[in-house]
Amino acid sequence: MLIKKRTFLTGAATALGMTALASGAAFAQDDKTKVGFIYVGPINDGGWSQHHHESALKMIEEIGADKVEMVYQENVPEGPDSERAMTQMALNGADIIFSTSFGYMDPTLNVATKFPDVKFEHATGYKTAPNMSAYSARFYEGRAVQGTIAGSMTKSNTIGYIASVPIPEVVRGINSSYIHAKKVNPDVEFKIIWLYTWMDPAKEADAARTLIEQGADVILQHTDSTAPLAAAQAAGDVIGFGQAGDMAEYAPSPRVSSIIDNWAPYYTARVQAVMDGTWETHSVWEGINTGMVGIGEISDVVPEDVKAAALEMKDAISAGEYHPFTGPLNKQDGTPWLAEGEVADDGTLAGMSFYVEGLEGDIPQ
Amino acid sequence: MDLGAINPLLLAASLMVAATAVMIAAVGELVVEKAGVLNLGVEGMMITGAICGFAAAATTGSPMIGFAAAAGGGALLALLFALLTQVALANQVASGLALTLFGLGMSSLIGQSYVGVKPPPTPDLDIPLLSDIPVLGPVLFSHDLMVYFGLALVAAVWAFLKYTRGGLILKAVGENHAAAHALGYKVVRIRVLAILFGGACAGLGGAYISLIRVPQWTEGMTGGAGWIALALVVFASWKPWRVLLGAYLFGGVTVLQLNLQAAGLAIPAEYLSMSPYLITILVLVIMSADRSAAPASLGRTFHASQ
């Protein structure tokens, strides 16, 4: 009876397969590499999640839709829920899963332990396992370029910073922008608001308006929506930057430049490695030099000399001649951190939980 | 710390903006609950209003048509709730929750093609003469139309409930639907109208977020404002002016905590970000100590055969 049933099922599956093949649809599912993506926001947020998704689509284009199959889930909350989403993907036969937000780190590790045959790639974290890699971009390099523009462009010497979640990535961004704004404008002052969210347009808009009311004429954001740019536009003489995406719809002003995430080459290489059987765990951190961090076109609102200085810094970072965290630098409380000419090591940067000297306020713990 | 950077006048002006969406939605829900119906779908109706208003405004270029469409969209979704609970006699709590989930899903479906679109700007209503008054003028009299509409709506609902025959009938239906029915009032009809009004208000509140406060369309952009509106109605003891107070308090502390953070106040940011919820609840709980109870028939299903 059992055999009969199985035979029948196999027969039915074959028949279905024949029909599918006959109708031109690709049926060879088992040959395809199944790639899963977990996104923290919607795929059309105009920022972080959208750029992961677009990079994923580029990866498919690159490798070929006949060779890879993509599954993805949007709006997955960080924490236990993401563990469920990843488990489900693994159970459904995913060969490699990319989890694309910092808060997925521990859930990814948990699921990776349970599915040793599935490869996991976690974005912006630092934990790895034999089947789990960490990859991240050196966004602080882009923020050094932004800081240079921001410090030169501010007339009120007050720069507003909308900070998202208090993790090293965000703290690094604040420090990097501040150091470089200060370098070109010693009178510059930062006002920082923490929102505890990556994406909440209403909160972001309120925060931007508050910073503008308190005198900021440049807004830096580490949140994903375009709401701060809309607030800057409404205020008139305030500038801002695109975050994660180019946000070109606000160019040439208030958006004067942007940091763009480009994950496509990495995704293509890693999925290809799974297909070739050469995938190995690693922890990489790429920057402007490999194109993972892109600088959106600097608009004409920025004076020529400022633009030139910003591009010069971008090129120097890309060529490896300049590191955004180069001494002399002190920590906020005045204790020495980097001596003259000394460059911060990646370990310290990855776990950065302190402000540099000159910044006011405390980092929420 | 630089508290001098906080301008109290600008703070007052932005609290009015931060409070308006919640206030309009809450006063609509107040009318629904006064009629004895508990509609937990405010969040769903708000987000539906947000996308309907955004889509209409972006397509026609007129914010006014946008707001009209938002009210229509919210009311349409509320009609679904009315059919479920008043005709099919479904459970109100479950239907309301389902309405929220449905609204969130449908709004993101409609919104697919409106991501990254910029809505037409809604002009500020600089009231002549009044907005020229020094100090008070810019704070009170140079907002967009919806800020004043919200205030007028609270006043109108208060006057309706307190002074009109229609208001008395609505309250009677909410307090004791069997008695109201025995007196010959059309309980179901009155409740359906109240539900539609609540839906229209929620829709307007949602459109205020997507067209004025943010302004852009993002999935789930109401971010729980509907739930805050629901809570405000309860903590305001079903009294319109307390809804206004609660909304301004909530909006005020929300804006104030951002200002304090930016000014570098030495209170940890975590405490500041939860302060709007805590302080609003605390004040309204203290104020509701006079035990003004909820409408007696709230949440109970009515059928004429009973």
Side-chain angles (χ1 to χ4, degrees):
Chain A
M1 184 65 193
L2 199 74
I3 293 165
K4 248 185 180 170
K5 198 186 236 172
R6 192 174 291 156
T7 321
F8 167 74
L9 281 175
T10 321
T14 317
L16 274 173
M18 296 298 275
T19 329
L21 277 176
S23 64
F27 179 69
Q29 275 196 351
D30 286 344
D31 301 345
K32 281 190 181 182
T33 305
K34 198 166 184 179
V35 187
F37 283 88
I38 305 274
Y39 304 125
V40 71
I43 54 166
N44 51 17
D45 63 357
W48 181 259
S49 293
Q50 180 168 334
H51 278 73
H52 277 285
H53 189 61
E54 283 173 3
S55 300
L57 294 176
K58 264 191 214 130
M59 173 270 292
I60 292 180
E61 209 174 283
E62 201 81 8
I63 299 179
D66 52 331
K67 297 200 192 97
V68 278
E69 182 196 352
M70 180 170 71
V71 284
Y72 64 89
Q73 195 169 350
E74 308 168 73
N75 289 318
V76 178
E78 299 182 334
D81 215 29
S82 64
E83 206 167 317
R84 183 193 53 73
M86 281 182 269
T87 305
Q88 202 169 6
M89 266 184 195
L91 286 174
N92 284 338
D95 298 298
I96 178 168
I97 295 174
F98 294 88
S99 58
T100 62
S101 192
F102 181 79
Y104 297 149
M105 182 165 64
D106 290 321
T108 308
L109 190 60
N110 292 347
V111 182
T113 320
K114 276 186 264 175
F115 295 91
D117 295 337
V118 181
K119 311 285 184 265
F120 290 84
E121 295 265 353
H122 176 245
T124 70
Y126 51 84
K127 293 187 183 170
T128 55
N131 62 331
M132 172 181 168
S133 285
Y135 65 100
S136 186
R138 296 178 184 270
F139 294 117
Y140 65 86
E141 297 183 349
R143 292 197 189 274
V145 179
Q146 287 192 349
T148 307
I149 300 173
S152 312
M153 293 286 285
T154 177
K155 294 185 190 74
S156 63
N157 292 332
T158 303
I159 293 173
Y161 202 108
I162 304 175
S164 43
V165 184
I167 58 168
E169 157 75 37
V170 180
V171 176
R172 259 193 323 266
I174 296 172
N175 283 332
S176 179
S177 336
Y178 179 74
I179 291 166
H180 295 89
K182 191 94 178 168
K183 209 167 257 181
V184 292
N185 179 354
D187 297 328
V188 87
E189 190 194 335
F190 268 38
K191 286 180 184 290
I192 301 162
I193 292 183
W194 291 92
L195 291 185
Y196 295 94
T197 173
W198 293 110
M199 169 100 183
D200 183 335
K203 271 190 190 169
E204 292 170 50
D206 284 347
R209 266 195 291 269
T210 301
L211 291 165
I212 293 166
E213 280 168 13
Q214 291 203 14
D217 60 354
V218 178
I219 301 288
L220 295 169
Q221 67 178 95
H222 202 139
T223 47
D224 294 346
S225 90
T226 52
L229 283 172
Q233 192 165 44
D237 51 356
V238 177
I239 61 162
F241 296 83
Q243 154 74 7
D246 193 50
M247 303 192 178
E249 64 267 33
Y250 287 93
S253 180
R255 169 229 169 270
V256 295
S257 182
S258 57
I259 300 183
I260 303 172
D261 311 347
N262 181 16
W263 310 99
Y266 182 77
Y267 288 164
T268 308
R270 297 305 277 172
V271 173
Q272 193 66 53
V274 170
M275 295 166 77
D276 301 344
T278 56
W279 190 95
E280 270 178 12
T281 180
H282 65 193
S283 181
V284 295
W285 209 8
E286 296 176 16
I288 294 179
N289 57 343
T290 65
M292 199 180 257
V293 177
I295 303 293
E297 193 193 351
I298 300 171
S299 74
D300 296 339
V301 178
V302 180
E304 273 308 319
D305 54 328
V306 177
K307 186 173 174 175
L311 289 176
E312 195 181 321
M313 169 164 296
K314 178 192 162 192
D315 295 340
I317 293 173
S318 180
E321 293 158 7
Y322 175 71
H323 190 290
F325 289 99
T326 305
L329 281 174
N330 291 343
K331 293 185 181 178
Q332 188 183 29
D333 57 8
T335 51
W337 174 36
L338 296 172
E340 177 80 43
E342 194 185 345
V343 167
D345 62 283
D346 280 358
T348 313
L349 289 182
M352 188 175 249
S353 59
F354 58 86
Y355 283 150
V356 293
E357 191 170 44
L359 280 166
E360 283 181 28
D362 297 318
I363 302 168
Q365 295 302 323
Chain B
M1 185 168 66
D2 179 22
L3 288 183
I6 302 176
N7 183 334
L9 295 174
L10 290 174
L11 186 73
S14 45
L15 91 82
M16 290 175 79
V17 172
T20 295
V22 175
M23 187 168 75
I24 295 177
V27 86
E29 176 66 10
L30 180 133
V31 171
V32 179
E33 294 193 13
K34 275 286 185 189
V37 180
L38 183 64
N39 185 355
L40 296 181
V42 181
E43 177 81 4
M45 300 187 297
M46 277 186 92
I47 193 80
T48 304
I51 185 57
C52 289
F54 190 91
T59 311
T60 63
S62 157
M64 281 305 119
I65 294 177
F67 279 108
L76 199 67
L77 197 64
L79 184 65
L80 184 67
F81 176 81
L83 290 175
L84 283 172
T85 59
Q86 303 307 308
V87 180
L89 303 183
N91 180 291
Q92 293 181 6
V93 171
S95 307
L97 293 174
L99 201 69
T100 287
L101 297 175
F102 177 63
L104 285 170
M106 196 178 65
S107 64
S108 65
L109 182 69
I110 303 175
Q112 290 295 337
S113 49
Y114 291 97
V115 175
V117 176
K118 273 197 275 183
T122 311
D124 279 352
L125 192 77
D126 279 320
I127 303 173
L129 297 178
L130 284 179
S131 60
D132 296 334
I133 303 173
V135 186
L136 279 182
V139 178
L140 293 177
F141 301 113
S142 56
H143 287 291
D144 53 88
L145 189 64
M146 290 305 284
V147 167
Y148 308 108
F149 175 80
L151 288 167
L153 190 68
V154 171
V157 164
W158 167 76
F160 171 77
L161 289 175
K162 196 169 169 74
Y163 294 116
T164 68
R165 184 177 163 76
L168 285 174
I169 295 171
L170 184 93
K171 282 193 284 187
V173 166
E175 289 297 339
N176 189 333
H177 51 216
H181 175 65
L183 288 171
Y185 295 121
K186 306 284 186 200
V187 174
V188 170
R189 188 180 302 168
I190 290 162
R191 285 191 170 164
V192 168
L193 288 175
I195 292 169
L196 290 180
F197 176 76
C201 287
L204 284 175
Y208 188 77
I209 298 179
S210 66
L211 285 178
I212 298 179
R213 192 162 160 217
V214 172
Q216 66 167 29
W217 165 251
T218 321
E219 277 176 41
M221 69 181 305
T222 46
W227 300 110
I228 293 163
L230 267 170
L232 273 186
V233 177
V234 178
F235 288 120
S237 317
W238 292 268
K239 290 191 169 75
W241 291 114
R242 286 199 194 164
V243 167
L244 176 93
L245 177 90
Y248 273 10
L249 195 66
F250 180 78
V253 183
T254 303
V255 178
L256 181 66
Q257 70 96 359
L258 292 173
N259 269 283
L260 290 175
Q261 273 204 53
L265 185 74
I267 296 176
E270 297 93 329
Y271 294 109
L272 288 173
S273 16
M274 66 182 172
S275 60
Y277 307 91
L278 280 182
I279 293 174
T280 309
I281 288 175
L282 197 69
V283 169
L284 291 173
V285 163
I286 293 169
M287 286 191 62
S288 63
D290 62 0
R291 297 261 45 87
S292 330
S297 292
L298 185 61
R300 283 171 50 205
T301 305
F302 170 77
H303 187 257
S305 67
Q306 280 169 340

